[in-house]
PDB file of all heavy atoms in Angstrom:
ATOM      1  N   TRP A  28       1.080   4.273  -2.872  1.00 46.00           N
ATOM      2  CA  TRP A  28       0.942   5.848  -2.613  1.00 46.00           C
ATOM      3  C   TRP A  28       2.175   6.512  -3.100  1.00 46.00           C
ATOM      4  O   TRP A  28       2.003   7.693  -3.577  1.00 46.00           O
ATOM      5  CB  TRP A  28       0.597   5.945  -1.211  1.00 46.00           C
ATOM      6  CG  TRP A  28      -0.871   5.667  -0.855  1.00 46.00           C
ATOM      7  CD1 TRP A  28      -1.334   4.664  -0.077  1.00 46.00           C
ATOM      8  CD2 TRP A  28      -2.049   6.287  -1.354  1.00 46.00           C
ATOM      9  NE1 TRP A  28      -2.723   4.658  -0.068  1.00 46.00           N
ATOM     10  CE2 TRP A  28      -3.190   5.608  -0.793  1.00 46.00           C
ATOM     11  CE3 TRP A  28      -2.293   7.402  -2.203  1.00 46.00           C
ATOM     12  CZ2 TRP A  28      -4.432   6.049  -1.020  1.00 46.00           C
ATOM     13  CZ3 TRP A  28      -3.615   7.758  -2.464  1.00 46.00           C
ATOM     14  CH2 TRP A  28      -4.645   7.119  -1.869  1.00 46.00           C
ATOM     15  N   TYR A  33       4.721  10.373  -6.763  1.00 43.00           N
ATOM     16  CA  TYR A  33       5.824  10.876  -7.745  1.00 43.00           C
ATOM     17  C   TYR A  33       5.317  10.982  -9.186  1.00 43.00           C
ATOM     18  O   TYR A  33       5.854  11.674  -9.984  1.00 43.00           O
ATOM     19  CB  TYR A  33       7.083   9.800  -7.615  1.00 43.00           C
ATOM     20  CG  TYR A  33       7.789  10.071  -6.357  1.00 43.00           C
ATOM     21  CD1 TYR A  33       7.803   9.110  -5.266  1.00 43.00           C
ATOM     22  CD2 TYR A  33       8.658  11.209  -6.212  1.00 43.00           C
ATOM     23  CE1 TYR A  33       8.458   9.295  -4.121  1.00 43.00           C
ATOM     24  CE2 TYR A  33       9.300  11.458  -5.004  1.00 43.00           C
ATOM     25  CZ  TYR A  33       9.268  10.521  -3.997  1.00 43.00           C
ATOM     26  OH  TYR A  33       9.978  10.735  -2.826  1.00 43.00           O
ATOM     27  N   LEU A  61     -25.374  -5.284 -25.657  1.00 36.00           N
ATOM     28  CA  LEU A  61     -23.911  -5.063 -25.862  1.00 36.00           C
ATOM     29  C   LEU A  61     -23.490  -6.095 -26.916  1.00 36.00           C
ATOM     30  O   LEU A  61     -23.915  -7.277 -26.837  1.00 36.00           O
ATOM     31  CB  LEU A  61     -23.237  -5.350 -24.573  1.00 36.00           C
ATOM     32  CG  LEU A  61     -23.359  -4.282 -23.506  1.00 36.00           C
ATOM     33  CD1 LEU A  61     -22.719  -4.828 -22.188  1.00 36.00           C
ATOM     34  CD2 LEU A  61     -22.960  -2.978 -23.853  1.00 36.00           C
ATOM     35  N   SER A  82     -11.193   2.066 -13.456  1.00 34.00           N
ATOM     36  CA  SER A  82      -9.782   2.382 -13.656  1.00 34.00           C
ATOM     37  C   SER A  82      -9.035   1.371 -12.816  1.00 34.00           C
ATOM     38  O   SER A  82      -9.544   0.812 -11.946  1.00 34.00           O
ATOM     39  CB  SER A  82      -9.463   3.794 -13.263  1.00 34.00           C
ATOM     40  OG  SER A  82      -9.631   3.944 -11.883  1.00 34.00           O
ATOM     41  N   SER A  85      -9.368   2.455  -9.155  1.00 34.00           N
ATOM     42  CA  SER A  85     -10.710   2.131  -8.500  1.00 34.00           C
ATOM     43  C   SER A  85     -10.916   0.677  -8.355  1.00 34.00           C
ATOM     44  O   SER A  85     -11.520   0.139  -7.434  1.00 34.00           O
ATOM     45  CB  SER A  85     -11.880   2.671  -9.347  1.00 34.00           C
ATOM     46  OG  SER A  85     -11.907   2.127 -10.589  1.00 34.00           O
ATOM     47  N   GLN A  98     -21.529 -16.999 -18.546  1.00 98.00           N
ATOM     48  CA  GLN A  98     -21.239 -18.037 -19.548  1.00 98.00           C
ATOM     49  C   GLN A  98     -22.044 -19.226 -19.317  1.00 98.00           C
ATOM     50  O   GLN A  98     -22.084 -20.191 -20.232  1.00 98.00           O
ATOM     51  CB  GLN A  98     -19.761 -18.378 -19.441  1.00 98.00           C
ATOM     52  CG  GLN A  98     -18.772 -17.274 -19.774  1.00 98.00           C
ATOM     53  CD  GLN A  98     -18.201 -16.644 -18.505  1.00 98.00           C
ATOM     54  OE1 GLN A  98     -18.858 -16.495 -17.495  1.00 98.00           O
ATOM     55  NE2 GLN A  98     -16.848 -16.241 -18.525  1.00 98.00           N
ATOM     56  N   GLU A 128     -32.209 -14.317  -7.866  1.00 98.00           N
ATOM     57  CA  GLU A 128     -32.544 -14.746  -9.289  1.00 98.00           C
ATOM     58  C   GLU A 128     -32.895 -13.420 -10.005  1.00 98.00           C
ATOM     59  O   GLU A 128     -33.839 -12.633  -9.659  1.00 98.00           O
ATOM     60  CB  GLU A 128     -33.826 -15.553  -9.280  1.00 98.00           C
ATOM     61  CG  GLU A 128     -33.659 -16.941  -8.631  1.00 98.00           C
ATOM     62  CD  GLU A 128     -34.901 -17.676  -8.516  1.00 98.00           C
ATOM     63  OE1 GLU A 128     -35.991 -17.272  -8.925  1.00 98.00           O
ATOM     64  OE2 GLU A 128     -34.816 -18.861  -7.879  1.00 98.00           O
ATOM     65  N   MET A 147     -24.028  -8.828 -12.193  1.00 98.00           N
ATOM     66  CA  MET A 147     -23.142  -9.975 -12.014  1.00 98.00           C
ATOM     67  C   MET A 147     -21.934  -9.633 -11.045  1.00 98.00           C
ATOM     68  O   MET A 147     -21.542  -8.542 -10.912  1.00 98.00           O
ATOM     69  CB  MET A 147     -22.502 -10.394 -13.362  1.00 98.00           C
ATOM     70  CG  MET A 147     -23.595 -10.819 -14.460  1.00 98.00           C
ATOM     71  SD  MET A 147     -24.428 -12.279 -13.977  1.00 98.00           S
ATOM     72  CE  MET A 147     -26.171 -11.748 -14.367  1.00 98.00           C
ATOM     73  N   GLY A 179     -23.111 -19.471 -27.308  1.00 98.00           N
ATOM     74  CA  GLY A 179     -22.275 -20.490 -26.563  1.00 98.00           C
ATOM     75  C   GLY A 179     -22.527 -20.617 -25.097  1.00 98.00           C
ATOM     76  O   GLY A 179     -21.801 -21.388 -24.536  1.00 98.00           O
ATOM     77  N   VAL A 184     -30.249 -27.655 -16.487  1.00 98.00           N
ATOM     78  CA  VAL A 184     -31.564 -27.905 -16.132  1.00 98.00           C
ATOM     79  C   VAL A 184     -31.646 -29.020 -15.026  1.00 98.00           C
ATOM     80  O   VAL A 184     -31.080 -30.132 -15.127  1.00 98.00           O
ATOM     81  CB  VAL A 184     -32.492 -28.336 -17.234  1.00 98.00           C
ATOM     82  CG1 VAL A 184     -33.944 -28.452 -16.884  1.00 98.00           C
ATOM     83  CG2 VAL A 184     -32.319 -27.433 -18.487  1.00 98.00           C
ATOM     84  N   GLN A 271     -19.314 -30.075 -12.956  1.00 98.00           N
ATOM     85  CA  GLN A 271     -17.967 -29.453 -13.105  1.00 98.00           C
ATOM     86  C   GLN A 271     -17.320 -29.787 -14.367  1.00 98.00           C
ATOM     87  O   GLN A 271     -16.668 -29.041 -15.059  1.00 98.00           O
ATOM     88  CB  GLN A 271     -17.078 -29.964 -11.959  1.00 98.00           C
ATOM     89  CG  GLN A 271     -17.416 -29.381 -10.563  1.00 98.00           C
ATOM     90  CD  GLN A 271     -16.719 -29.868  -9.487  1.00 98.00           C
ATOM     91  OE1 GLN A 271     -15.750 -29.404  -8.922  1.00 98.00           O
ATOM     92  NE2 GLN A 271     -17.246 -31.061  -8.935  1.00 98.00           N
ATOM     93  N   ILE A 279     -13.167 -30.125  -8.000  1.00 96.00           N
ATOM     94  CA  ILE A 279     -12.709 -29.678  -6.630  1.00 96.00           C
ATOM     95  C   ILE A 279     -13.821 -30.112  -5.579  1.00 96.00           C
ATOM     96  O   ILE A 279     -13.517 -30.484  -4.531  1.00 96.00           O
ATOM     97  CB  ILE A 279     -12.438 -28.245  -6.629  1.00 96.00           C
ATOM     98  CG1 ILE A 279     -11.101 -27.917  -7.352  1.00 96.00           C
ATOM     99  CG2 ILE A 279     -12.346 -27.731  -5.199  1.00 96.00           C
ATOM    100  CD1 ILE A 279     -10.785 -26.492  -7.429  1.00 96.00           C
ATOM    101  N   GLU A 300     -19.728 -21.124   0.995  1.00 60.00           N
ATOM    102  CA  GLU A 300     -18.750 -20.219   0.275  1.00 60.00           C
ATOM    103  C   GLU A 300     -18.460 -19.012   1.313  1.00 60.00           C
ATOM    104  O   GLU A 300     -19.240 -18.447   1.823  1.00 60.00           O
ATOM    105  CB  GLU A 300     -19.465 -19.564  -0.902  1.00 60.00           C
ATOM    106  CG  GLU A 300     -18.582 -18.568  -1.658  1.00 60.00           C
ATOM    107  CD  GLU A 300     -19.423 -17.781  -2.633  1.00 60.00           C
ATOM    108  OE1 GLU A 300     -20.574 -17.604  -2.345  1.00 60.00           O
ATOM    109  OE2 GLU A 300     -18.759 -17.236  -3.634  1.00 60.00           O
ATOM    110  N   SER A 302     -17.021 -19.226   4.207  1.00 58.00           N
ATOM    111  CA  SER A 302     -17.373 -19.484   5.609  1.00 58.00           C
ATOM    112  C   SER A 302     -16.673 -20.683   6.060  1.00 58.00           C
ATOM    113  O   SER A 302     -16.359 -21.647   5.285  1.00 58.00           O
ATOM    114  CB  SER A 302     -18.933 -19.534   5.883  1.00 58.00           C
ATOM    115  OG  SER A 302     -19.161 -19.982   7.063  1.00 58.00           O
ATOM    116  N   PRO A 305     -20.645 -24.980   8.901  1.00 67.00           N
ATOM    117  CA  PRO A 305     -21.660 -25.794   7.995  1.00 67.00           C
ATOM    118  C   PRO A 305     -22.887 -24.928   7.542  1.00 67.00           C
ATOM    119  O   PRO A 305     -23.226 -23.990   8.180  1.00 67.00           O
ATOM    120  CB  PRO A 305     -22.200 -26.918   8.980  1.00 67.00           C
ATOM    121  CG  PRO A 305     -21.078 -27.017  10.089  1.00 67.00           C
ATOM    122  CD  PRO A 305     -20.605 -25.633  10.169  1.00 67.00           C
ATOM    123  N   HIS A 306     -23.416 -25.366   6.432  1.00 69.00           N
ATOM    124  CA  HIS A 306     -24.465 -24.569   5.797  1.00 69.00           C
ATOM    125  C   HIS A 306     -25.510 -25.475   5.157  1.00 69.00           C
ATOM    126  O   HIS A 306     -25.183 -26.359   4.437  1.00 69.00           O
ATOM    127  CB  HIS A 306     -23.931 -23.642   4.758  1.00 69.00           C
ATOM    128  CG  HIS A 306     -24.974 -22.825   4.026  1.00 69.00           C
ATOM    129  ND1 HIS A 306     -25.889 -21.967   4.529  1.00 69.00           N
ATOM    130  CD2 HIS A 306     -25.351 -22.971   2.733  1.00 69.00           C
ATOM    131  CE1 HIS A 306     -26.680 -21.464   3.711  1.00 69.00           C
ATOM    132  NE2 HIS A 306     -26.472 -22.140   2.572  1.00 69.00           N
TER     133      HIS A 306
END
Side-chain angles (χ1 to χ4, degrees):
W28 283 112
Y33 285 111
L61 293 175
S82 68
S85 63
Q98 297 102 318
E128 296 173 2
M147 299 300 133
V184 186
Q271 290 171 96
I279 290 177
E300 178 196 27
S302 172
H306 173 67

